[in-house]
């Protein structure tokens, strides 16, 4: 009986992991200016500005894996590009990436939380706001630059408008949340979430707190706000790719369970 339960749990975890990986590979968020290629065996997108050149899915079981690698290798020959792979894929894939000049840069935990098991805190010391306006979106980008201690150029008016068109939908495919002292104050932290209603999955992205506001429950408030929103949408699984050495230990303390690893490979 114990073996049957363990096997059933493993099947459930693998199913959750596959759903999170499927969500990760979806390029729905790319604006019309991007070049997007999506096939069952391969998915990649090119940003004309070179900021988001990503190969998000490679079928390592494909009969001609080498031709898949060569396809996007040539496509991104003159630009920096990033490849996402997973720890359970064949070593042949990794060998071919190395041969094309890619090197493994970061490792991320694939972690998940069942919405039904989230224990919401009764109250938080900060407020959270669902981003719907240009001013709130600017606050979010300013907070991100401080939280991650790096220069993040403010998007152009066209880019801001493109994002707001999605965030203002009745059932947006992504939301952004900021934490504030009050409605008029600067953001103390921010977090994003993409929603995949057909998979029953939502994935977190871009979570961070400015240094002066840390250890005040800002990150917990942002998690609660996003999961509550996901719950209202009927989402059952929250996924997150948590980078080793930065967010992985934080989200582990928040109750997110590990179900795999993702590696990022970069060629400049």
């Amino acid at each position: 009986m114990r073996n049957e339960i363990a096997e059933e749990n493993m099947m459930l975890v693998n199913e959750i992991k596959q759903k999170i990986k499927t969500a990760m590979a979806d390029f729905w968020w790319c604006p019309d200016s991007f070049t997007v290629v999506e096939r069952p065996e391969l998915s990649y997108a090119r940003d004309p500005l070179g900021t988001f050149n990503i190969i998000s899915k490679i079928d390592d079981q494909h009969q001609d894996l080498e031709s898949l690698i060569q396809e996007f290798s040539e496509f991104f020959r003159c630009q920096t590009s990033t490849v996402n792979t997973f720890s359970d894929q064949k070593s042949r894939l990794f060998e071919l990436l190395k041969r094309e000049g890619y090197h493994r840069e970061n490792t991320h935990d694939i972690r998940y939380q069942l919405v039904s098991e989230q224990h919401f805190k009764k109250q938080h010391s900060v407020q959270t706001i669902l981003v719907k306006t240009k001013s709130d979106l600017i606050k979010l980008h300013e907070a991100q630059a401080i939280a991650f201690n790096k220069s993040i150029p403010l998007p152009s008016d066209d880019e801001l408008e493109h994002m707001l068109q999605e965030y203002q939908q009745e059932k947006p495919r992504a939301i952004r949340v900021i934490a504030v002292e009050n409605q008029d104050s600067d953001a103390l932290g921010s977090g994003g979430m993409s929603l995949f209603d057909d998979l029953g999955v939502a994935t977190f992205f871009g979570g961070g707190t400015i240094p002066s506001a840390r250890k005040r429950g800002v990150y917990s408030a942002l998690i609660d706000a996003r999961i509550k929103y996901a719950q209202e949408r009927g989402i059952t699984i929250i996924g997150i790719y948590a980078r080793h050495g930065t967010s992985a230990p934080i989200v582990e303390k928040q109750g997110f369970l590990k179900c795999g690893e993702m590696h990022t490979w970069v060629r400049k």
Side-chain angles (χ1 to χ4, degrees):
M1 178 64 74
R2 287 183 179 178
N3 289 339
E4 290 178 0
I5 293 173
E7 185 176 344
E8 184 177 332
N9 288 340
M10 183 60 68
M11 289 176 62
L12 175 60
V13 170
N14 285 333
E15 182 181 348
I16 289 171
K17 178 172 66 174
Q18 187 55 50
K19 286 184 176 183
I20 296 172
K21 287 167 65 176
T22 299
M24 177 71 171
D26 194 327
F27 285 125
W28 71 265
W29 52 271
C30 291
D32 293 339
S33 59
F34 279 44
T35 301
V36 176
V37 173
E38 290 185 291
R39 306 199 304 271
E41 70 277 14
L42 183 66
S43 294
Y44 55 90
R46 180 166 66 188
D47 174 3
L49 300 178
T51 305
F52 297 104
N53 293 330
I54 304 171
I55 300 91
S56 66
K57 181 176 67 176
I58 308 170
D59 179 4
D60 62 317
Q61 307 287 334
H62 194 269
Q63 61 183 359
D64 194 0
L65 179 60
E66 189 168 353
S67 69
L68 297 184
I69 306 296
Q70 290 176 345
E71 177 182 336
F72 65 75
S73 180
E74 287 301 319
F75 187 75
F76 293 111
R77 180 62 62 186
C78 298
Q79 290 182 303
T80 296
S81 56
T82 300
V83 181
N84 296 329
T85 67
F86 301 92
S87 54
D88 56 0
Q89 290 184 300
K90 288 185 175 180
S91 59
R92 174 65 173 157
L93 170 61
F94 310 143
E95 292 166 2
L96 290 171
L97 288 173
K98 290 177 183 176
R99 195 175 75 181
E100 290 297 326
Y102 287 91
H103 69 276
R104 203 166 89 178
E105 191 167 83
N106 294 308
T107 298
H108 296 71
D109 285 347
I110 307 173
R111 290 186 173 268
Y112 73 94
Q113 174 73 280
L114 298 179
V115 171
S116 60
E117 296 182 2
Q118 172 68 5
H119 301 290
F120 299 107
K121 293 180 174 57
K122 292 184 178 180
Q123 60 182 12
H124 293 285
S125 60
V126 297
Q127 302 178 41
T128 55
I129 298 174
L130 193 63
V131 172
K132 296 278 190 180
T133 68
K134 182 177 178 180
S135 61
D136 284 340
L137 192 51
I138 290 172
K139 284 182 182 181
L140 180 146
H141 282 275
E142 291 172 345
Q144 278 192 317
I146 298 171
F148 297 118
N149 192 29
K150 64 180 182 180
S151 176
I152 302 177
L154 185 68
S156 67
D157 285 342
D158 286 345
E159 290 171 324
L160 291 172
E161 184 59 32
H162 173 77
M163 287 185 274
L164 287 173
Q165 283 179 358
E166 184 62 47
Y167 301 154
Q168 291 170 352
Q169 296 287 330
E170 182 179 351
K171 293 182 69 174
R173 291 171 294 179
I175 64 166
R176 305 295 283 274
V177 180
I178 56 174
V180 296
E181 296 275 15
N182 55 65
Q183 294 286 332
D184 299 321
S185 64
D186 293 335
L188 303 175
S190 66
M193 180 171 68
S194 296
L195 299 108
F196 303 86
D197 295 303
D198 56 333
L199 295 171
V201 168
T203 56
F204 282 2
F205 65 89
T209 305
I210 66 173
S212 62
R214 287 171 187 164
K215 297 185 178 180
R216 292 173 50 190
V218 171
Y219 199 85
S220 295
L222 291 166
I223 286 178
D224 274 3
R226 285 177 286 178
I227 294 183
K228 283 179 180 177
Y229 182 91
Q231 188 178 50
E232 293 169 0
R233 284 276 292 267
I235 297 294
T236 58
I237 301 164
I238 305 296
I240 186 169
Y241 289 84
R243 183 172 166 179
H244 284 193
T246 56
S247 59
I250 297 173
V251 298
E252 182 179 8
K253 290 179 181 178
Q254 293 285 344
F256 284 77
L257 304 174
K258 183 175 178 178
C259 61
E261 287 185 347
M262 180 186 78
H263 309 299
T264 58
W265 300 69
V266 178
R267 186 182 70 184
K268 297 185 178 181

PDB file of all heavy atoms in Angstrom, residues 47-74:
ATOM      1  N   ASP A  47      13.633  38.755 -29.976  1.00  0.00           N
ATOM      2  CA  ASP A  47      13.277  40.143 -29.713  1.00  0.00           C
ATOM      3  C   ASP A  47      14.110  41.028 -30.641  1.00  0.00           C
ATOM      4  O   ASP A  47      15.337  40.893 -30.674  1.00  0.00           O
ATOM      5  CB  ASP A  47      13.590  40.442 -28.237  1.00  0.00           C
ATOM      6  CG  ASP A  47      13.406  41.895 -27.853  1.00  0.00           C
ATOM      7  OD1 ASP A  47      12.975  42.694 -28.699  1.00  0.00           O
ATOM      8  OD2 ASP A  47      13.710  42.226 -26.698  1.00  0.00           O
ATOM      9  N   PRO A  48      13.480  41.928 -31.411  1.00  0.00           N
ATOM     10  CA  PRO A  48      14.266  42.777 -32.309  1.00  0.00           C
ATOM     11  C   PRO A  48      15.296  43.632 -31.580  1.00  0.00           C
ATOM     12  O   PRO A  48      16.298  44.047 -32.173  1.00  0.00           O
ATOM     13  CB  PRO A  48      13.204  43.653 -32.998  1.00  0.00           C
ATOM     14  CG  PRO A  48      11.999  43.571 -32.119  1.00  0.00           C
ATOM     15  CD  PRO A  48      12.039  42.223 -31.499  1.00  0.00           C
ATOM     16  N   LEU A  49      15.092  43.881 -30.277  1.00  0.00           N
ATOM     17  CA  LEU A  49      16.059  44.645 -29.492  1.00  0.00           C
ATOM     18  C   LEU A  49      17.127  43.743 -28.865  1.00  0.00           C
ATOM     19  O   LEU A  49      18.083  44.235 -28.271  1.00  0.00           O
ATOM     20  CB  LEU A  49      15.341  45.427 -28.388  1.00  0.00           C
ATOM     21  CG  LEU A  49      14.298  46.446 -28.852  1.00  0.00           C
ATOM     22  CD1 LEU A  49      13.633  47.112 -27.650  1.00  0.00           C
ATOM     23  CD2 LEU A  49      14.940  47.501 -29.748  1.00  0.00           C
ATOM     24  N   GLY A  50      16.946  42.439 -28.987  1.00  0.00           N
ATOM     25  CA  GLY A  50      17.945  41.511 -28.474  1.00  0.00           C
ATOM     26  C   GLY A  50      17.868  41.250 -26.985  1.00  0.00           C
ATOM     27  O   GLY A  50      18.745  40.588 -26.426  1.00  0.00           O
ATOM     28  N   THR A  51      16.835  41.742 -26.302  1.00  0.00           N
ATOM     29  CA  THR A  51      16.731  41.591 -24.841  1.00  0.00           C
ATOM     30  C   THR A  51      16.216  40.214 -24.443  1.00  0.00           C
ATOM     31  O   THR A  51      16.702  39.613 -23.491  1.00  0.00           O
ATOM     32  CB  THR A  51      15.797  42.669 -24.265  1.00  0.00           C
ATOM     33  OG1 THR A  51      16.260  43.953 -24.673  1.00  0.00           O
ATOM     34  CG2 THR A  51      15.788  42.609 -22.745  1.00  0.00           C
ATOM     35  N   PHE A  52      15.211  39.695 -25.177  1.00  0.00           N
ATOM     36  CA  PHE A  52      14.592  38.413 -24.840  1.00  0.00           C
ATOM     37  C   PHE A  52      14.705  37.462 -26.031  1.00  0.00           C
ATOM     38  O   PHE A  52      13.742  37.269 -26.767  1.00  0.00           O
ATOM     39  CB  PHE A  52      13.125  38.603 -24.459  1.00  0.00           C
ATOM     40  CG  PHE A  52      12.905  39.444 -23.236  1.00  0.00           C
ATOM     41  CD1 PHE A  52      12.472  40.754 -23.356  1.00  0.00           C
ATOM     42  CD2 PHE A  52      13.140  38.932 -21.973  1.00  0.00           C
ATOM     43  CE1 PHE A  52      12.264  41.541 -22.225  1.00  0.00           C
ATOM     44  CE2 PHE A  52      12.943  39.710 -20.837  1.00  0.00           C
ATOM     45  CZ  PHE A  52      12.512  41.011 -20.966  1.00  0.00           C
ATOM     46  N   ASN A  53      15.865  36.885 -26.212  1.00  0.00           N
ATOM     47  CA  ASN A  53      16.058  35.849 -27.223  1.00  0.00           C
ATOM     48  C   ASN A  53      16.107  34.513 -26.492  1.00  0.00           C
ATOM     49  O   ASN A  53      17.111  34.175 -25.869  1.00  0.00           O
ATOM     50  CB  ASN A  53      17.351  36.083 -28.002  1.00  0.00           C
ATOM     51  CG  ASN A  53      17.277  37.334 -28.854  1.00  0.00           C
ATOM     52  OD1 ASN A  53      16.211  37.720 -29.317  1.00  0.00           O
ATOM     53  ND2 ASN A  53      18.405  37.979 -29.070  1.00  0.00           N
ATOM     54  N   ILE A  54      15.026  33.748 -26.562  1.00  0.00           N
ATOM     55  CA  ILE A  54      14.874  32.583 -25.695  1.00  0.00           C
ATOM     56  C   ILE A  54      14.478  31.347 -26.494  1.00  0.00           C
ATOM     57  O   ILE A  54      13.586  31.401 -27.341  1.00  0.00           O
ATOM     58  CB  ILE A  54      13.792  32.840 -24.621  1.00  0.00           C
ATOM     59  CG1 ILE A  54      14.120  34.091 -23.805  1.00  0.00           C
ATOM     60  CG2 ILE A  54      13.654  31.631 -23.686  1.00  0.00           C
ATOM     61  CD1 ILE A  54      13.002  34.524 -22.881  1.00  0.00           C
ATOM     62  N   ILE A  55      15.153  30.239 -26.210  1.00  0.00           N
ATOM     63  CA  ILE A  55      14.733  28.925 -26.687  1.00  0.00           C
ATOM     64  C   ILE A  55      14.118  28.235 -25.479  1.00  0.00           C
ATOM     65  O   ILE A  55      14.819  27.886 -24.525  1.00  0.00           O
ATOM     66  CB  ILE A  55      15.922  28.106 -27.243  1.00  0.00           C
ATOM     67  CG1 ILE A  55      16.580  28.850 -28.412  1.00  0.00           C
ATOM     68  CG2 ILE A  55      15.433  26.730 -27.700  1.00  0.00           C
ATOM     69  CD1 ILE A  55      17.706  29.763 -28.014  1.00  0.00           C
ATOM     70  N   SER A  56      12.803  28.087 -25.481  1.00  0.00           N
ATOM     71  CA  SER A  56      12.096  27.642 -24.276  1.00  0.00           C
ATOM     72  C   SER A  56      11.775  26.153 -24.256  1.00  0.00           C
ATOM     73  O   SER A  56      11.471  25.602 -23.202  1.00  0.00           O
ATOM     74  CB  SER A  56      10.791  28.431 -24.110  1.00  0.00           C
ATOM     75  OG  SER A  56       9.886  28.118 -25.162  1.00  0.00           O
ATOM     76  N   LYS A  57      11.817  25.500 -25.430  1.00  0.00           N
ATOM     77  CA  LYS A  57      11.466  24.077 -25.466  1.00  0.00           C
ATOM     78  C   LYS A  57      12.260  23.362 -26.541  1.00  0.00           C
ATOM     79  O   LYS A  57      12.321  23.808 -27.688  1.00  0.00           O
ATOM     80  CB  LYS A  57       9.968  23.888 -25.733  1.00  0.00           C
ATOM     81  CG  LYS A  57       9.518  22.431 -25.771  1.00  0.00           C
ATOM     82  CD  LYS A  57       8.011  22.308 -25.943  1.00  0.00           C
ATOM     83  CE  LYS A  57       7.538  22.794 -27.289  1.00  0.00           C
ATOM     84  NZ  LYS A  57       6.091  22.593 -27.490  1.00  0.00           N
ATOM     85  N   ILE A  58      12.894  22.245 -26.163  1.00  0.00           N
ATOM     86  CA  ILE A  58      13.586  21.369 -27.099  1.00  0.00           C
ATOM     87  C   ILE A  58      13.214  19.932 -26.758  1.00  0.00           C
ATOM     88  O   ILE A  58      13.367  19.503 -25.612  1.00  0.00           O
ATOM     89  CB  ILE A  58      15.126  21.507 -27.008  1.00  0.00           C
ATOM     90  CG1 ILE A  58      15.566  22.964 -27.126  1.00  0.00           C
ATOM     91  CG2 ILE A  58      15.802  20.666 -28.083  1.00  0.00           C
ATOM     92  CD1 ILE A  58      17.031  23.189 -26.803  1.00  0.00           C
ATOM     93  N   ASP A  59      12.722  19.201 -27.741  1.00  0.00           N
ATOM     94  CA  ASP A  59      12.400  17.790 -27.530  1.00  0.00           C
ATOM     95  C   ASP A  59      13.690  16.979 -27.632  1.00  0.00           C
ATOM     96  O   ASP A  59      14.185  16.709 -28.724  1.00  0.00           O
ATOM     97  CB  ASP A  59      11.398  17.321 -28.582  1.00  0.00           C
ATOM     98  CG  ASP A  59      11.028  15.850 -28.435  1.00  0.00           C
ATOM     99  OD1 ASP A  59      11.491  15.219 -27.456  1.00  0.00           O
ATOM    100  OD2 ASP A  59      10.300  15.325 -29.293  1.00  0.00           O
ATOM    101  N   ASP A  60      14.244  16.596 -26.486  1.00  0.00           N
ATOM    102  CA  ASP A  60      15.520  15.869 -26.488  1.00  0.00           C
ATOM    103  C   ASP A  60      15.372  14.430 -26.983  1.00  0.00           C
ATOM    104  O   ASP A  60      16.370  13.737 -27.182  1.00  0.00           O
ATOM    105  CB  ASP A  60      16.145  15.884 -25.092  1.00  0.00           C
ATOM    106  CG  ASP A  60      15.276  15.188 -24.052  1.00  0.00           C
ATOM    107  OD1 ASP A  60      14.052  15.409 -24.077  1.00  0.00           O
ATOM    108  OD2 ASP A  60      15.825  14.437 -23.231  1.00  0.00           O
ATOM    109  N   GLN A  61      14.114  13.985 -27.209  1.00  0.00           N
ATOM    110  CA  GLN A  61      13.874  12.645 -27.759  1.00  0.00           C
ATOM    111  C   GLN A  61      13.746  12.670 -29.287  1.00  0.00           C
ATOM    112  O   GLN A  61      13.564  11.620 -29.902  1.00  0.00           O
ATOM    113  CB  GLN A  61      12.566  12.075 -27.172  1.00  0.00           C
ATOM    114  CG  GLN A  61      12.475  12.097 -25.656  1.00  0.00           C
ATOM    115  CD  GLN A  61      13.361  11.053 -25.007  1.00  0.00           C
ATOM    116  OE1 GLN A  61      13.675  10.039 -25.615  1.00  0.00           O
ATOM    117  NE2 GLN A  61      13.773  11.303 -23.773  1.00  0.00           N
ATOM    118  N   HIS A  62      13.838  13.854 -29.874  1.00  0.00           N
ATOM    119  CA  HIS A  62      13.634  13.985 -31.318  1.00  0.00           C
ATOM    120  C   HIS A  62      14.668  13.169 -32.083  1.00  0.00           C
ATOM    121  O   HIS A  62      15.842  13.112 -31.703  1.00  0.00           O
ATOM    122  CB  HIS A  62      13.722  15.470 -31.714  1.00  0.00           C
ATOM    123  CG  HIS A  62      13.212  15.757 -33.083  1.00  0.00           C
ATOM    124  ND1 HIS A  62      14.007  15.744 -34.200  1.00  0.00           N
ATOM    125  CD2 HIS A  62      11.957  16.054 -33.523  1.00  0.00           C
ATOM    126  CE1 HIS A  62      13.284  16.030 -35.267  1.00  0.00           C
ATOM    127  NE2 HIS A  62      12.039  16.232 -34.882  1.00  0.00           N
ATOM    128  N   GLN A  63      14.220  12.548 -33.191  1.00  0.00           N
ATOM    129  CA  GLN A  63      15.108  11.667 -33.940  1.00  0.00           C
ATOM    130  C   GLN A  63      16.277  12.415 -34.592  1.00  0.00           C
ATOM    131  O   GLN A  63      17.311  11.805 -34.891  1.00  0.00           O
ATOM    132  CB  GLN A  63      14.316  10.921 -35.022  1.00  0.00           C
ATOM    133  CG  GLN A  63      13.650  11.828 -36.046  1.00  0.00           C
ATOM    134  CD  GLN A  63      12.822  11.062 -37.059  1.00  0.00           C
ATOM    135  OE1 GLN A  63      12.753   9.826 -37.005  1.00  0.00           O
ATOM    136  NE2 GLN A  63      12.197  11.766 -37.991  1.00  0.00           N
ATOM    137  N   ASP A  64      16.099  13.697 -34.839  1.00  0.00           N
ATOM    138  CA  ASP A  64      17.195  14.489 -35.396  1.00  0.00           C
ATOM    139  C   ASP A  64      17.449  15.697 -34.497  1.00  0.00           C
ATOM    140  O   ASP A  64      17.268  16.846 -34.896  1.00  0.00           O
ATOM    141  CB  ASP A  64      16.865  14.930 -36.818  1.00  0.00           C
ATOM    142  CG  ASP A  64      18.097  15.458 -37.564  1.00  0.00           C
ATOM    143  OD1 ASP A  64      19.191  15.475 -36.959  1.00  0.00           O
ATOM    144  OD2 ASP A  64      17.961  15.856 -38.731  1.00  0.00           O
ATOM    145  N   LEU A  65      17.864  15.415 -33.275  1.00  0.00           N
ATOM    146  CA  LEU A  65      18.094  16.466 -32.281  1.00  0.00           C
ATOM    147  C   LEU A  65      19.140  17.460 -32.760  1.00  0.00           C
ATOM    148  O   LEU A  65      19.011  18.669 -32.546  1.00  0.00           O
ATOM    149  CB  LEU A  65      18.532  15.830 -30.956  1.00  0.00           C
ATOM    150  CG  LEU A  65      18.849  16.775 -29.801  1.00  0.00           C
ATOM    151  CD1 LEU A  65      17.642  17.636 -29.434  1.00  0.00           C
ATOM    152  CD2 LEU A  65      19.314  15.981 -28.579  1.00  0.00           C
ATOM    153  N   GLU A  66      20.144  16.969 -33.432  1.00  0.00           N
ATOM    154  CA  GLU A  66      21.226  17.840 -33.888  1.00  0.00           C
ATOM    155  C   GLU A  66      20.711  18.929 -34.821  1.00  0.00           C
ATOM    156  O   GLU A  66      21.142  20.084 -34.751  1.00  0.00           O
ATOM    157  CB  GLU A  66      22.303  17.015 -34.588  1.00  0.00           C
ATOM    158  CG  GLU A  66      23.560  17.803 -34.907  1.00  0.00           C
ATOM    159  CD  GLU A  66      24.710  16.912 -35.334  1.00  0.00           C
ATOM    160  OE1 GLU A  66      24.573  15.678 -35.265  1.00  0.00           O
ATOM    161  OE2 GLU A  66      25.765  17.462 -35.734  1.00  0.00           O
ATOM    162  N   SER A  67      19.759  18.587 -35.692  1.00  0.00           N
ATOM    163  CA  SER A  67      19.222  19.592 -36.628  1.00  0.00           C
ATOM    164  C   SER A  67      18.413  20.655 -35.888  1.00  0.00           C
ATOM    165  O   SER A  67      18.395  21.830 -36.299  1.00  0.00           O
ATOM    166  CB  SER A  67      18.355  18.923 -37.688  1.00  0.00           C
ATOM    167  OG  SER A  67      17.160  18.409 -37.122  1.00  0.00           O
ATOM    168  N   LEU A  68      17.741  20.277 -34.787  1.00  0.00           N
ATOM    169  CA  LEU A  68      17.008  21.258 -33.993  1.00  0.00           C
ATOM    170  C   LEU A  68      17.974  22.273 -33.383  1.00  0.00           C
ATOM    171  O   LEU A  68      17.713  23.483 -33.404  1.00  0.00           O
ATOM    172  CB  LEU A  68      16.215  20.571 -32.874  1.00  0.00           C
ATOM    173  CG  LEU A  68      15.103  19.601 -33.263  1.00  0.00           C
ATOM    174  CD1 LEU A  68      14.382  19.099 -32.011  1.00  0.00           C
ATOM    175  CD2 LEU A  68      14.106  20.263 -34.202  1.00  0.00           C
ATOM    176  N   ILE A  69      19.070  21.773 -32.828  1.00  0.00           N
ATOM    177  CA  ILE A  69      20.066  22.656 -32.209  1.00  0.00           C
ATOM    178  C   ILE A  69      20.657  23.591 -33.260  1.00  0.00           C
ATOM    179  O   ILE A  69      20.802  24.798 -33.028  1.00  0.00           O
ATOM    180  CB  ILE A  69      21.192  21.840 -31.547  1.00  0.00           C
ATOM    181  CG1 ILE A  69      20.628  20.817 -30.563  1.00  0.00           C
ATOM    182  CG2 ILE A  69      22.184  22.764 -30.869  1.00  0.00           C
ATOM    183  CD1 ILE A  69      19.912  21.391 -29.392  1.00  0.00           C
ATOM    184  N   GLN A  70      20.974  23.047 -34.412  1.00  0.00           N
ATOM    185  CA  GLN A  70      21.567  23.865 -35.474  1.00  0.00           C
ATOM    186  C   GLN A  70      20.594  24.923 -35.978  1.00  0.00           C
ATOM    187  O   GLN A  70      21.009  26.025 -36.345  1.00  0.00           O
ATOM    188  CB  GLN A  70      22.028  22.971 -36.625  1.00  0.00           C
ATOM    189  CG  GLN A  70      23.235  22.112 -36.273  1.00  0.00           C
ATOM    190  CD  GLN A  70      23.619  21.163 -37.388  1.00  0.00           C
ATOM    191  OE1 GLN A  70      22.839  20.926 -38.325  1.00  0.00           O
ATOM    192  NE2 GLN A  70      24.819  20.604 -37.299  1.00  0.00           N
ATOM    193  N   GLU A  71      19.301  24.603 -35.978  1.00  0.00           N
ATOM    194  CA  GLU A  71      18.289  25.550 -36.457  1.00  0.00           C
ATOM    195  C   GLU A  71      18.319  26.848 -35.660  1.00  0.00           C
ATOM    196  O   GLU A  71      18.458  27.937 -36.224  1.00  0.00           O
ATOM    197  CB  GLU A  71      16.892  24.923 -36.378  1.00  0.00           C
ATOM    198  CG  GLU A  71      15.781  25.883 -36.784  1.00  0.00           C
ATOM    199  CD  GLU A  71      14.396  25.267 -36.645  1.00  0.00           C
ATOM    200  OE1 GLU A  71      14.277  24.026 -36.681  1.00  0.00           O
ATOM    201  OE2 GLU A  71      13.419  26.043 -36.507  1.00  0.00           O
ATOM    202  N   PHE A  72      18.198  26.751 -34.323  1.00  0.00           N
ATOM    203  CA  PHE A  72      18.172  27.992 -33.548  1.00  0.00           C
ATOM    204  C   PHE A  72      19.574  28.563 -33.345  1.00  0.00           C
ATOM    205  O   PHE A  72      19.733  29.766 -33.165  1.00  0.00           O
ATOM    206  CB  PHE A  72      17.438  27.821 -32.214  1.00  0.00           C
ATOM    207  CG  PHE A  72      18.063  26.893 -31.220  1.00  0.00           C
ATOM    208  CD1 PHE A  72      19.187  27.263 -30.494  1.00  0.00           C
ATOM    209  CD2 PHE A  72      17.509  25.653 -30.971  1.00  0.00           C
ATOM    210  CE1 PHE A  72      19.742  26.407 -29.559  1.00  0.00           C
ATOM    211  CE2 PHE A  72      18.051  24.793 -30.037  1.00  0.00           C
ATOM    212  CZ  PHE A  72      19.188  25.178 -29.325  1.00  0.00           C
ATOM    213  N   SER A  73      20.586  27.712 -33.428  1.00  0.00           N
ATOM    214  CA  SER A  73      21.960  28.218 -33.329  1.00  0.00           C
ATOM    215  C   SER A  73      22.262  29.177 -34.468  1.00  0.00           C
ATOM    216  O   SER A  73      22.852  30.249 -34.257  1.00  0.00           O
ATOM    217  CB  SER A  73      22.942  27.047 -33.338  1.00  0.00           C
ATOM    218  OG  SER A  73      24.281  27.524 -33.245  1.00  0.00           O
ATOM    219  N   GLU A  74      21.849  28.819 -35.675  1.00  0.00           N
ATOM    220  CA  GLU A  74      22.047  29.699 -36.831  1.00  0.00           C
ATOM    221  C   GLU A  74      21.138  30.920 -36.749  1.00  0.00           C
ATOM    222  O   GLU A  74      21.524  32.033 -37.097  1.00  0.00           O
ATOM    223  CB  GLU A  74      21.783  28.919 -38.127  1.00  0.00           C
ATOM    224  CG  GLU A  74      22.857  27.931 -38.485  1.00  0.00           C
ATOM    225  CD  GLU A  74      24.220  28.599 -38.662  1.00  0.00           C
ATOM    226  OE1 GLU A  74      24.278  29.704 -39.252  1.00  0.00           O
ATOM    227  OE2 GLU A  74      25.228  28.028 -38.196  1.00  0.00           O
TER     228      GLU A  74
END
